[in-house]
Amino acid sequence: MRLLSLLPGRTAERRIIRSPALSIASQAVGALQLAMILWRSEGGSNATDTYFYLFGLGLLPSQILTVGVMYPLMINRQASIGKKAAQRLASFVPVLAVLVTATGVVWLATTGRVTVDLVPLLTLSAFNSALQSMIWSRGVAAESTGEPHWFAAVALPANTLAVIALLVPWRNENLALTAMLAALVVGNAGYLGFMVRQRIGSDAVSRLPEQSMGSQAAWWYMARAGTGYGGLAVLSSLAVILPPGALTVLAVVTKLVGAVTSTFVNAVLPALVHADTDSPFEARRFMRLTGVVLLVIGFSGVVATTFLLGNQTLLSVTVATWLFAAATAAAAQRVAFRFLSANSSIVTLVVLPIVVLASVATVAEGELNLTNLVAAQALVDAATAAFLLAALRDKAMAIGARTATAMLVAIWIASTVST
């Protein structure tokens, strides 16, 4: 109940309760969907690798342009995006999502992962990526005015239908995944239609100025988002080189981290930091509370894994550290969007490519493995958090982020050397 004191008024209280509830429901259904996929594929296969890889790749344009550029320009004090620019961006992202998905298909084909029976899955993946990008545009726009619940429920309708589709005893795994993707398309189309009818996000766009202000800010935001999310996309693409099933495991870990971040940060923080927020104080208090909770959860996970799967202790420590780093980075980024200039995290433009290049080098040396790949992805978040928190002058959280960064560097080296 302490979180309720962070916001004034009953309307704000309802929002801060409703958003995490919707996010938890969405993540729970998503976890069930994930478990059913793993059960169908007996732990992972080429088909599941293909699905997870293209699903994540299809979100890349939305992560870079919608979350990384449009959203900060809608809430930043020093720069803003104009109505027409926001509308053009929302129209362009779905097209780009399809093109990026198609590029992923080419990469899969190059590595010998594409077979004839996967063609329906590839087609539906492209279509689904376009629908998701349109939903994200509206949900993120609503977040900018302090209404995070629409985005918190972004996957709930689609995931629910996907679980229902997976309950059918399909003849084989590929048919099951294809039917699941078709259900995702139907669910996303229905949710998008509802959002359009209710004008979700439209009012947020209508309150924007006629002309964009601070055009240089847009390029800074694009450079930062492109470096961060693009780096993660490169790292996940490297997983295609690993044996079948490894990319599925990586996707499971990534979804776990994303689920925790969505529940603890993305479903709450937009109600604390939005276009009308005047002080970062409450957001900083929320970051500290979340950090402590996630450290406890992560430590508990490491202990449990050590007893149940003793040979996966290093990987579990990596994941636990990533939980803290990812949530901290997501929270710090939203505060920075509101209160810092666009070029405040210029150092990350240098550091993050170094992480990616180091991972590419491990491929050339034949030393790539699941643990150092997870550590590399976690490093992207940890380094981002460390530099943003330093810019925000949050000493306590910055020390935590730097510690996480040092731990992940040590894990990356240890797992690479031991290969």
Side-chain angles (χ1 to χ4, degrees):
M1 296 300 291
R2 180 183 176 186
L3 288 177
L4 299 183
S5 65
L6 299 179
L7 285 172
R10 290 187 177 276
T11 300
E13 288 181 5
R14 286 196 296 269
R15 288 176 184 172
I16 206 168
I17 294 173
R18 179 169 47 178
S19 297
L22 287 170
S23 181
I24 290 171
S26 181
Q27 301 304 332
V29 176
L32 179 58
Q33 176 197 3
L34 185 60
M36 295 179 73
I37 291 173
L38 294 176
W39 174 71
R40 285 272 188 181
S41 63
E42 298 182 351
S45 64
N46 181 51
T48 58
D49 283 358
T50 300
Y51 161 69
F52 285 122
Y53 177 59
L54 294 181
F55 184 90
L57 211 58
L59 289 176
L60 186 62
S62 294
Q63 291 170 328
I64 294 175
L65 297 176
T66 304
V67 177
V69 178
M70 188 181 80
Y71 176 75
L73 288 175
M74 293 183 77
I75 68 170
N76 191 265
R77 286 177 164 181
Q78 303 173 27
S80 63
I81 188 171
K83 292 180 185 177
K84 291 184 179 179
Q87 291 167 348
R88 285 196 297 267
L89 196 61
S91 300
F92 173 67
V93 172
V95 177
L96 190 58
V98 173
L99 293 176
V100 170
T101 303
T103 303
V105 173
V106 173
W107 172 238
L108 288 170
T110 302
T111 56
R113 292 291 196 108
V114 175
T115 55
V116 176
D117 55 347
L118 289 180
V119 171
L121 189 146
L122 303 177
T123 304
L124 287 169
S125 293
F127 193 29
N128 188 57
S129 68
L131 289 172
Q132 285 186 128
S133 64
M134 288 184 274
I135 292 173
W136 276 47
S137 292
R138 290 182 172 273
V140 168
E143 279 190 329
S144 71
T145 58
E147 296 184 351
H149 47 279
W150 296 107
F151 194 72
V154 68
L156 185 56
N159 284 350
T160 301
L161 291 182
V163 168
I164 294 173
L166 287 171
L167 289 173
V168 177
W170 300 100
R171 188 170 65 251
N172 57 54
E173 175 195 351
N174 287 358
L175 277 177
L177 287 176
T178 301
M180 182 201 69
L181 254 175
L184 289 177
V185 169
V186 172
N188 282 326
Y191 191 50
L192 176 62
F194 178 78
M195 296 179 84
V196 171
R197 186 171 181 177
Q198 297 295 317
R199 293 183 53 79
I200 306 304
S202 297
D203 292 337
V205 174
S206 66
R207 62 183 276 180
L208 294 173
E210 292 297 330
Q211 299 295 327
S212 300
M213 293 182 291
S215 59
Q216 286 187 345
W219 292 108
W220 279 113
Y221 284 134
M222 184 177 295
R224 183 168 66 186
T227 302
Y229 290 115
L232 291 176
V234 172
L235 292 175
S236 65
S237 296
L238 293 179
V240 174
I241 302 172
L242 296 174
L247 203 155
T248 296
V249 175
L250 179 63
V252 170
V253 172
T254 303
K255 283 182 175 292
L256 170 63
V257 173
V260 171
T261 301
S262 295
T263 302
F264 280 86
V265 178
N266 296 339
V268 176
L269 205 61
L272 302 177
V273 181
H274 48 79
D276 300 319
T277 303
D278 295 321
S279 170
F281 175 75
E282 303 296 357
R284 284 180 174 178
R285 188 168 68 172
F286 174 76
M287 273 196 286
R288 284 168 170 73
L289 178 63
T290 302
V292 171
V293 172
L294 290 179
L295 284 174
V296 172
I297 292 175
F299 178 75
S300 301
V302 171
V303 172
T305 304
T306 301
F307 278 105
L308 298 175
L309 302 168
N311 61 335
Q312 297 297 329
T313 300
L314 189 60
L315 180 59
S316 67
V317 172
T318 307
V319 174
T321 308
W322 192 7
L323 288 176
F324 172 81
T328 303
Q333 185 165 257
R334 287 186 182 272
V335 178
F337 283 163
R338 175 61 180 161
F339 295 104
L340 296 181
S341 61
N343 63 354
S344 59
S345 60
I346 184 173
V347 182
T348 61
L349 300 183
V350 178
V351 174
L352 301 185
I354 291 175
V355 175
V356 175
L357 290 174
S359 295
V360 172
T362 62
V363 175
E365 296 297 325
E367 298 170 341
L368 186 70
N369 59 66
L370 188 59
T371 300
N372 61 29
L373 199 53
V374 172
Q377 290 210 356
L379 262 173
V380 173
D381 283 327
T384 299
F387 286 110
L388 285 179
L389 289 166
L392 289 166
R393 302 182 186 280
D394 192 331
K395 293 182 180 179
M397 292 301 294
I399 290 173
R402 289 168 185 166
T403 302
T405 301
M407 286 181 60
L408 290 167
V409 169
I411 291 171
W412 189 88
I413 293 174
S415 60
T416 301
V417 171
S418 62
T419 300

